[in-house]
Amino acid sequence: MIRSPRQLHILDKDLDRLSAAEQAGSQSMRPLARVGLAVLFVAVVVVIAVAALPQATTGQVTVLAGVALAAYLALAIGANDVSNSLAPAVGARAIGIGTGLALVATAEIAGAVLAGRKVSATLSLGIVDPRQMLAGGSAAPVMLAALLAAAIWVNIATWAGAPVSTTHSVVGGIAGAGMAAFGATAVNWPGIAMIAGGWIVSPLASGALAAGLLALIRQKIDDAPERDRAARRWLSGMIGTMAALAAGILLGGHLGQQTAVTLGAMAGAGGAATLAARRHMARRFASAGEVRAKSRDLFGLPLVLVAVLMGFAHGANDSSNVTAPLWLILEASGEQGSAFAPGWIFLLAGGGLALGALLFGRRLVVVVGSRITRLNPVRAFCVSLATGTVVLAASWQGLPVSTTHVAVGGIFGVGFFREWDDARRHRRYKQLPVEETHRRTLVRRAHVRRILLAWAITLPASAALAALFSAAMQ
């Protein structure tokens, strides 16, 4: 039977509706699929642990529970903290969010495995006396409570779109659970004071460094009579310095190489990065047209490279939030046989960070990258370079800083510098109307207040949760 044109038109409309319904169903299933992959990751990690742990291990159920919670927390940290590494690059449109997540996820694993031990030792040994926990047989319940409280709090913050500090969450969880189990005297308050001092200094240092870098770029490159030559000199020098610092921290600070080897590697890495940056810029200058467009385009690839390096720094520093409690659980069970922390727990932490970033990291990347202040490649490069420098330096010293604080501090520094510089440039004009003054407010105060509030309540909230869980497990 031959259908009439009207019947064919109706059939086409019905097929379009079916296609739209299928697409809507596919979109609605994506969040559920991501949750399913996360659950599968935790299950696979537990199965591997069952196969790897000796059958005679004391408290094997407790160890497996600790492994499951550690995997869960690693996923939560990756989802919340990927914004620190990738938000500036995505906010500046230097890289797509999918490609950026894949690159940063790989860097997270490398940072955790290659450079995660020093900060992990600080968290394991410097908050609650490990000898007292191990002697009393309460190390495993205390650390289970800390892991559970930190994971729940970070999940709540991620759902609310607030980039909180996972380091605050874990430190608060360990301290709260330790106080509930052993009393306030068991907590190493000078150690916590040292860590808290790093939390205050690091975002201020990042903000000041990011603002200083932006001022340097404006003075030495934007206002230079020969921008091409100035950009090749100053920008390549910044990239080379960052590469040298990363090599020094990795070899000298984490792998324990001798001073001569470390200095040689720093010189080699810095020189190679500087040369590669100069060649990249020379090609850009040769192919681009208008001067200002060339200057802006130069920062695209360097920004991506710095974002990847920042992912490495985050893996090195924040993997300790997972590995430190898990190591004490293994130690209490009698499974730990090496001097400190078997290598597989760092691989677990890095893999969880990477998968959490890939599955759940998109929302906070958008919040941090575009809703605090507007970022172009130049400003985003300053934020990423400042953040990476501060976090790598802290990791070198074994100090568990908040990468969230450092990254957002850098963004604030750039935004407030731009406001100050804009006001300075227009000082000679008459008082601007209220509407124009509001338009020139470059840092969105509402997001600043929201983020600062989330920071302020993170430590006491996670400590209270951990204390409740610890008391219930005793």
PDB file of all heavy atoms in Angstrom, residues 330-361:
ATOM      1  N   LEU A 330      45.976  -0.606  57.915  1.00  0.00           N
ATOM      2  CA  LEU A 330      46.793  -1.769  57.576  1.00  0.00           C
ATOM      3  C   LEU A 330      47.786  -2.092  58.687  1.00  0.00           C
ATOM      4  O   LEU A 330      48.027  -3.257  59.014  1.00  0.00           O
ATOM      5  CB  LEU A 330      47.536  -1.513  56.261  1.00  0.00           C
ATOM      6  CG  LEU A 330      46.688  -1.395  54.997  1.00  0.00           C
ATOM      7  CD1 LEU A 330      47.562  -1.001  53.812  1.00  0.00           C
ATOM      8  CD2 LEU A 330      45.949  -2.689  54.708  1.00  0.00           C
ATOM      9  N   GLU A 331      48.367  -1.049  59.263  1.00  0.00           N
ATOM     10  CA  GLU A 331      49.333  -1.251  60.351  1.00  0.00           C
ATOM     11  C   GLU A 331      48.661  -1.910  61.551  1.00  0.00           C
ATOM     12  O   GLU A 331      49.213  -2.814  62.174  1.00  0.00           O
ATOM     13  CB  GLU A 331      49.923   0.099  60.745  1.00  0.00           C
ATOM     14  CG  GLU A 331      50.957   0.045  61.852  1.00  0.00           C
ATOM     15  CD  GLU A 331      52.288  -0.533  61.395  1.00  0.00           C
ATOM     16  OE1 GLU A 331      52.540  -0.540  60.177  1.00  0.00           O
ATOM     17  OE2 GLU A 331      53.054  -0.978  62.253  1.00  0.00           O
ATOM     18  N   ALA A 332      47.448  -1.460  61.880  1.00  0.00           N
ATOM     19  CA  ALA A 332      46.738  -2.030  63.028  1.00  0.00           C
ATOM     20  C   ALA A 332      46.349  -3.482  62.789  1.00  0.00           C
ATOM     21  O   ALA A 332      46.259  -4.276  63.731  1.00  0.00           O
ATOM     22  CB  ALA A 332      45.495  -1.202  63.329  1.00  0.00           C
ATOM     23  N   SER A 333      46.121  -3.845  61.520  1.00  0.00           N
ATOM     24  CA  SER A 333      45.694  -5.210  61.207  1.00  0.00           C
ATOM     25  C   SER A 333      46.847  -6.194  61.145  1.00  0.00           C
ATOM     26  O   SER A 333      46.633  -7.399  61.057  1.00  0.00           O
ATOM     27  CB  SER A 333      44.960  -5.229  59.863  1.00  0.00           C
ATOM     28  OG  SER A 333      45.885  -4.991  58.809  1.00  0.00           O
ATOM     29  N   GLY A 334      48.072  -5.685  61.141  1.00  0.00           N
ATOM     30  CA  GLY A 334      49.221  -6.553  61.007  1.00  0.00           C
ATOM     31  C   GLY A 334      49.584  -6.847  59.578  1.00  0.00           C
ATOM     32  O   GLY A 334      50.511  -7.607  59.294  1.00  0.00           O
ATOM     33  N   GLU A 335      48.882  -6.223  58.605  1.00  0.00           N
ATOM     34  CA  GLU A 335      49.153  -6.471  57.198  1.00  0.00           C
ATOM     35  C   GLU A 335      50.365  -5.709  56.723  1.00  0.00           C
ATOM     36  O   GLU A 335      51.098  -6.164  55.847  1.00  0.00           O
ATOM     37  CB  GLU A 335      47.916  -6.066  56.373  1.00  0.00           C
ATOM     38  CG  GLU A 335      48.168  -5.815  54.881  1.00  0.00           C
ATOM     39  CD  GLU A 335      48.683  -7.040  54.149  1.00  0.00           C
ATOM     40  OE1 GLU A 335      48.590  -8.153  54.702  1.00  0.00           O
ATOM     41  OE2 GLU A 335      49.218  -6.893  53.041  1.00  0.00           O
ATOM     42  N   GLN A 336      50.621  -4.541  57.309  1.00  0.00           N
ATOM     43  CA  GLN A 336      51.715  -3.684  56.834  1.00  0.00           C
ATOM     44  C   GLN A 336      53.064  -4.308  57.174  1.00  0.00           C
ATOM     45  O   GLN A 336      53.393  -4.509  58.325  1.00  0.00           O
ATOM     46  CB  GLN A 336      51.602  -2.294  57.475  1.00  0.00           C
ATOM     47  CG  GLN A 336      52.749  -1.366  57.198  1.00  0.00           C
ATOM     48  CD  GLN A 336      52.888  -1.068  55.723  1.00  0.00           C
ATOM     49  OE1 GLN A 336      51.952  -1.146  54.973  1.00  0.00           O
ATOM     50  NE2 GLN A 336      54.094  -0.744  55.306  1.00  0.00           N
ATOM     51  N   GLY A 337      53.858  -4.581  56.167  1.00  0.00           N
ATOM     52  CA  GLY A 337      55.148  -5.184  56.415  1.00  0.00           C
ATOM     53  C   GLY A 337      56.309  -4.287  56.082  1.00  0.00           C
ATOM     54  O   GLY A 337      57.419  -4.497  56.510  1.00  0.00           O
ATOM     55  N   SER A 338      56.106  -3.252  55.271  1.00  0.00           N
ATOM     56  CA  SER A 338      57.192  -2.361  54.869  1.00  0.00           C
ATOM     57  C   SER A 338      57.325  -1.231  55.862  1.00  0.00           C
ATOM     58  O   SER A 338      56.522  -1.081  56.771  1.00  0.00           O
ATOM     59  CB  SER A 338      56.924  -1.807  53.463  1.00  0.00           C
ATOM     60  OG  SER A 338      55.714  -1.085  53.457  1.00  0.00           O
ATOM     61  N   ALA A 339      58.369  -0.412  55.673  1.00  0.00           N
ATOM     62  CA  ALA A 339      58.630   0.673  56.616  1.00  0.00           C
ATOM     63  C   ALA A 339      57.489   1.675  56.624  1.00  0.00           C
ATOM     64  O   ALA A 339      57.080   2.145  57.662  1.00  0.00           O
ATOM     65  CB  ALA A 339      59.942   1.358  56.253  1.00  0.00           C
ATOM     66  N   PHE A 340      56.970   1.992  55.462  1.00  0.00           N
ATOM     67  CA  PHE A 340      55.848   2.928  55.424  1.00  0.00           C
ATOM     68  C   PHE A 340      55.069   2.762  54.135  1.00  0.00           C
ATOM     69  O   PHE A 340      55.612   2.883  53.049  1.00  0.00           O
ATOM     70  CB  PHE A 340      56.335   4.379  55.535  1.00  0.00           C
ATOM     71  CG  PHE A 340      55.196   5.370  55.428  1.00  0.00           C
ATOM     72  CD1 PHE A 340      54.364   5.574  56.507  1.00  0.00           C
ATOM     73  CD2 PHE A 340      54.940   6.033  54.249  1.00  0.00           C
ATOM     74  CE1 PHE A 340      53.291   6.443  56.415  1.00  0.00           C
ATOM     75  CE2 PHE A 340      53.875   6.908  54.154  1.00  0.00           C
ATOM     76  CZ  PHE A 340      53.052   7.116  55.242  1.00  0.00           C
ATOM     77  N   ALA A 341      53.804   2.460  54.256  1.00  0.00           N
ATOM     78  CA  ALA A 341      52.826   2.528  53.187  1.00  0.00           C
ATOM     79  C   ALA A 341      53.212   1.751  51.932  1.00  0.00           C
ATOM     80  O   ALA A 341      54.060   2.186  51.175  1.00  0.00           O
ATOM     81  CB  ALA A 341      52.543   3.983  52.830  1.00  0.00           C
ATOM     82  N   PRO A 342      52.588   0.606  51.689  1.00  0.00           N
ATOM     83  CA  PRO A 342      52.858  -0.134  50.459  1.00  0.00           C
ATOM     84  C   PRO A 342      52.451   0.667  49.225  1.00  0.00           C
ATOM     85  O   PRO A 342      51.529   1.484  49.267  1.00  0.00           O
ATOM     86  CB  PRO A 342      51.988  -1.392  50.612  1.00  0.00           C
ATOM     87  CG  PRO A 342      50.902  -0.995  51.556  1.00  0.00           C
ATOM     88  CD  PRO A 342      51.526  -0.007  52.501  1.00  0.00           C
ATOM     89  N   GLY A 343      53.140   0.403  48.116  1.00  0.00           N
ATOM     90  CA  GLY A 343      52.911   1.207  46.915  1.00  0.00           C
ATOM     91  C   GLY A 343      51.520   1.097  46.341  1.00  0.00           C
ATOM     92  O   GLY A 343      51.029   2.041  45.717  1.00  0.00           O
ATOM     93  N   TRP A 344      50.821  -0.042  46.589  1.00  0.00           N
ATOM     94  CA  TRP A 344      49.523  -0.205  45.952  1.00  0.00           C
ATOM     95  C   TRP A 344      48.479   0.772  46.485  1.00  0.00           C
ATOM     96  O   TRP A 344      47.527   1.091  45.767  1.00  0.00           O
ATOM     97  CB  TRP A 344      49.025  -1.642  46.105  1.00  0.00           C
ATOM     98  CG  TRP A 344      48.727  -2.094  47.507  1.00  0.00           C
ATOM     99  CD1 TRP A 344      49.552  -2.755  48.345  1.00  0.00           C
ATOM    100  CD2 TRP A 344      47.482  -1.938  48.221  1.00  0.00           C
ATOM    101  NE1 TRP A 344      48.940  -3.024  49.543  1.00  0.00           N
ATOM    102  CE2 TRP A 344      47.665  -2.539  49.488  1.00  0.00           C
ATOM    103  CE3 TRP A 344      46.260  -1.360  47.909  1.00  0.00           C
ATOM    104  CZ2 TRP A 344      46.654  -2.558  50.450  1.00  0.00           C
ATOM    105  CZ3 TRP A 344      45.251  -1.378  48.868  1.00  0.00           C
ATOM    106  CH2 TRP A 344      45.446  -1.979  50.120  1.00  0.00           C
ATOM    107  N   ILE A 345      48.641   1.255  47.719  1.00  0.00           N
ATOM    108  CA  ILE A 345      47.629   2.192  48.217  1.00  0.00           C
ATOM    109  C   ILE A 345      47.755   3.555  47.536  1.00  0.00           C
ATOM    110  O   ILE A 345      46.778   4.281  47.399  1.00  0.00           O
ATOM    111  CB  ILE A 345      47.674   2.333  49.755  1.00  0.00           C
ATOM    112  CG1 ILE A 345      48.924   3.063  50.233  1.00  0.00           C
ATOM    113  CG2 ILE A 345      47.562   0.995  50.432  1.00  0.00           C
ATOM    114  CD1 ILE A 345      48.890   3.369  51.718  1.00  0.00           C
ATOM    115  N   PHE A 346      48.957   3.898  47.087  1.00  0.00           N
ATOM    116  CA  PHE A 346      49.114   5.137  46.327  1.00  0.00           C
ATOM    117  C   PHE A 346      48.513   4.995  44.928  1.00  0.00           C
ATOM    118  O   PHE A 346      47.950   5.945  44.387  1.00  0.00           O
ATOM    119  CB  PHE A 346      50.596   5.529  46.249  1.00  0.00           C
ATOM    120  CG  PHE A 346      51.173   5.915  47.569  1.00  0.00           C
ATOM    121  CD1 PHE A 346      51.863   5.001  48.345  1.00  0.00           C
ATOM    122  CD2 PHE A 346      51.010   7.204  48.070  1.00  0.00           C
ATOM    123  CE1 PHE A 346      52.386   5.358  49.576  1.00  0.00           C
ATOM    124  CE2 PHE A 346      51.526   7.568  49.295  1.00  0.00           C
ATOM    125  CZ  PHE A 346      52.213   6.642  50.053  1.00  0.00           C
ATOM    126  N   LEU A 347      48.629   3.800  44.358  1.00  0.00           N
ATOM    127  CA  LEU A 347      47.984   3.553  43.062  1.00  0.00           C
ATOM    128  C   LEU A 347      46.470   3.590  43.217  1.00  0.00           C
ATOM    129  O   LEU A 347      45.763   4.131  42.351  1.00  0.00           O
ATOM    130  CB  LEU A 347      48.434   2.201  42.519  1.00  0.00           C
ATOM    131  CG  LEU A 347      47.896   1.817  41.137  1.00  0.00           C
ATOM    132  CD1 LEU A 347      48.318   2.839  40.089  1.00  0.00           C
ATOM    133  CD2 LEU A 347      48.375   0.423  40.749  1.00  0.00           C
ATOM    134  N   LEU A 348      45.957   3.031  44.308  1.00  0.00           N
ATOM    135  CA  LEU A 348      44.520   3.103  44.580  1.00  0.00           C
ATOM    136  C   LEU A 348      44.065   4.553  44.695  1.00  0.00           C
ATOM    137  O   LEU A 348      43.047   4.945  44.105  1.00  0.00           O
ATOM    138  CB  LEU A 348      44.203   2.338  45.862  1.00  0.00           C
ATOM    139  CG  LEU A 348      42.745   2.264  46.343  1.00  0.00           C
ATOM    140  CD1 LEU A 348      42.547   1.033  47.210  1.00  0.00           C
ATOM    141  CD2 LEU A 348      42.317   3.499  47.147  1.00  0.00           C
ATOM    142  N   ALA A 349      44.823   5.346  45.462  1.00  0.00           N
ATOM    143  CA  ALA A 349      44.452   6.748  45.650  1.00  0.00           C
ATOM    144  C   ALA A 349      44.483   7.504  44.328  1.00  0.00           C
ATOM    145  O   ALA A 349      43.544   8.245  43.995  1.00  0.00           O
ATOM    146  CB  ALA A 349      45.394   7.408  46.658  1.00  0.00           C
ATOM    147  N   GLY A 350      45.562   7.328  43.541  1.00  0.00           N
ATOM    148  CA  GLY A 350      45.651   8.028  42.267  1.00  0.00           C
ATOM    149  C   GLY A 350      44.568   7.599  41.302  1.00  0.00           C
ATOM    150  O   GLY A 350      43.970   8.441  40.605  1.00  0.00           O
ATOM    151  N   GLY A 351      44.280   6.300  41.237  1.00  0.00           N
ATOM    152  CA  GLY A 351      43.213   5.843  40.359  1.00  0.00           C
ATOM    153  C   GLY A 351      41.854   6.378  40.763  1.00  0.00           C
ATOM    154  O   GLY A 351      41.036   6.753  39.909  1.00  0.00           O
ATOM    155  N   GLY A 352      41.590   6.422  42.068  1.00  0.00           N
ATOM    156  CA  GLY A 352      40.324   6.978  42.532  1.00  0.00           C
ATOM    157  C   GLY A 352      40.199   8.462  42.239  1.00  0.00           C
ATOM    158  O   GLY A 352      39.135   8.946  41.828  1.00  0.00           O
ATOM    159  N   LEU A 353      41.278   9.214  42.465  1.00  0.00           N
ATOM    160  CA  LEU A 353      41.269  10.637  42.129  1.00  0.00           C
ATOM    161  C   LEU A 353      40.963  10.840  40.645  1.00  0.00           C
ATOM    162  O   LEU A 353      40.167  11.715  40.270  1.00  0.00           O
ATOM    163  CB  LEU A 353      42.625  11.264  42.472  1.00  0.00           C
ATOM    164  CG  LEU A 353      43.001  11.401  43.944  1.00  0.00           C
ATOM    165  CD1 LEU A 353      44.428  11.928  44.069  1.00  0.00           C
ATOM    166  CD2 LEU A 353      42.046  12.318  44.689  1.00  0.00           C
ATOM    167  N   ALA A 354      41.624  10.045  39.796  1.00  0.00           N
ATOM    168  CA  ALA A 354      41.446  10.197  38.352  1.00  0.00           C
ATOM    169  C   ALA A 354      40.018   9.862  37.935  1.00  0.00           C
ATOM    170  O   ALA A 354      39.385  10.611  37.178  1.00  0.00           O
ATOM    171  CB  ALA A 354      42.445   9.304  37.622  1.00  0.00           C
ATOM    172  N   LEU A 355      39.491   8.741  38.430  1.00  0.00           N
ATOM    173  CA  LEU A 355      38.141   8.343  38.039  1.00  0.00           C
ATOM    174  C   LEU A 355      37.091   9.311  38.571  1.00  0.00           C
ATOM    175  O   LEU A 355      36.121   9.641  37.874  1.00  0.00           O
ATOM    176  CB  LEU A 355      37.859   6.922  38.534  1.00  0.00           C
ATOM    177  CG  LEU A 355      36.540   6.304  38.059  1.00  0.00           C
ATOM    178  CD1 LEU A 355      36.508   6.200  36.549  1.00  0.00           C
ATOM    179  CD2 LEU A 355      36.332   4.926  38.688  1.00  0.00           C
ATOM    180  N   GLY A 356      37.263   9.786  39.797  1.00  0.00           N
ATOM    181  CA  GLY A 356      36.323  10.771  40.330  1.00  0.00           C
ATOM    182  C   GLY A 356      36.307  12.046  39.516  1.00  0.00           C
ATOM    183  O   GLY A 356      35.247  12.645  39.281  1.00  0.00           O
ATOM    184  N   ALA A 357      37.490  12.471  39.058  1.00  0.00           N
ATOM    185  CA  ALA A 357      37.558  13.666  38.206  1.00  0.00           C
ATOM    186  C   ALA A 357      36.835  13.447  36.893  1.00  0.00           C
ATOM    187  O   ALA A 357      36.082  14.313  36.413  1.00  0.00           O
ATOM    188  CB  ALA A 357      39.023  14.028  37.953  1.00  0.00           C
ATOM    189  N   LEU A 358      37.041  12.284  36.278  1.00  0.00           N
ATOM    190  CA  LEU A 358      36.429  12.003  34.981  1.00  0.00           C
ATOM    191  C   LEU A 358      34.905  11.889  35.082  1.00  0.00           C
ATOM    192  O   LEU A 358      34.181  12.374  34.208  1.00  0.00           O
ATOM    193  CB  LEU A 358      37.005  10.711  34.398  1.00  0.00           C
ATOM    194  CG  LEU A 358      38.464  10.771  33.921  1.00  0.00           C
ATOM    195  CD1 LEU A 358      38.959   9.371  33.589  1.00  0.00           C
ATOM    196  CD2 LEU A 358      38.602  11.693  32.719  1.00  0.00           C
ATOM    197  N   LEU A 359      34.423  11.266  36.152  1.00  0.00           N
ATOM    198  CA  LEU A 359      32.991  10.998  36.258  1.00  0.00           C
ATOM    199  C   LEU A 359      32.188  12.175  36.793  1.00  0.00           C
ATOM    200  O   LEU A 359      31.075  12.448  36.320  1.00  0.00           O
ATOM    201  CB  LEU A 359      32.759   9.777  37.160  1.00  0.00           C
ATOM    202  CG  LEU A 359      33.288   8.430  36.658  1.00  0.00           C
ATOM    203  CD1 LEU A 359      32.984   7.341  37.681  1.00  0.00           C
ATOM    204  CD2 LEU A 359      32.683   8.072  35.311  1.00  0.00           C
ATOM    205  N   PHE A 360      32.741  12.887  37.780  1.00  0.00           N
ATOM    206  CA  PHE A 360      31.926  13.865  38.493  1.00  0.00           C
ATOM    207  C   PHE A 360      32.537  15.265  38.559  1.00  0.00           C
ATOM    208  O   PHE A 360      32.020  16.126  39.285  1.00  0.00           O
ATOM    209  CB  PHE A 360      31.675  13.382  39.930  1.00  0.00           C
ATOM    210  CG  PHE A 360      31.127  11.995  40.029  1.00  0.00           C
ATOM    211  CD1 PHE A 360      31.907  10.948  40.511  1.00  0.00           C
ATOM    212  CD2 PHE A 360      29.838  11.718  39.623  1.00  0.00           C
ATOM    213  CE1 PHE A 360      31.407   9.651  40.603  1.00  0.00           C
ATOM    214  CE2 PHE A 360      29.325  10.428  39.712  1.00  0.00           C
ATOM    215  CZ  PHE A 360      30.113   9.394  40.195  1.00  0.00           C
ATOM    216  N   GLY A 361      33.632  15.523  37.859  1.00  0.00           N
ATOM    217  CA  GLY A 361      34.348  16.780  38.055  1.00  0.00           C
ATOM    218  C   GLY A 361      33.876  17.959  37.251  1.00  0.00           C
ATOM    219  O   GLY A 361      34.336  19.082  37.461  1.00  0.00           O
TER     220      GLY A 361
END
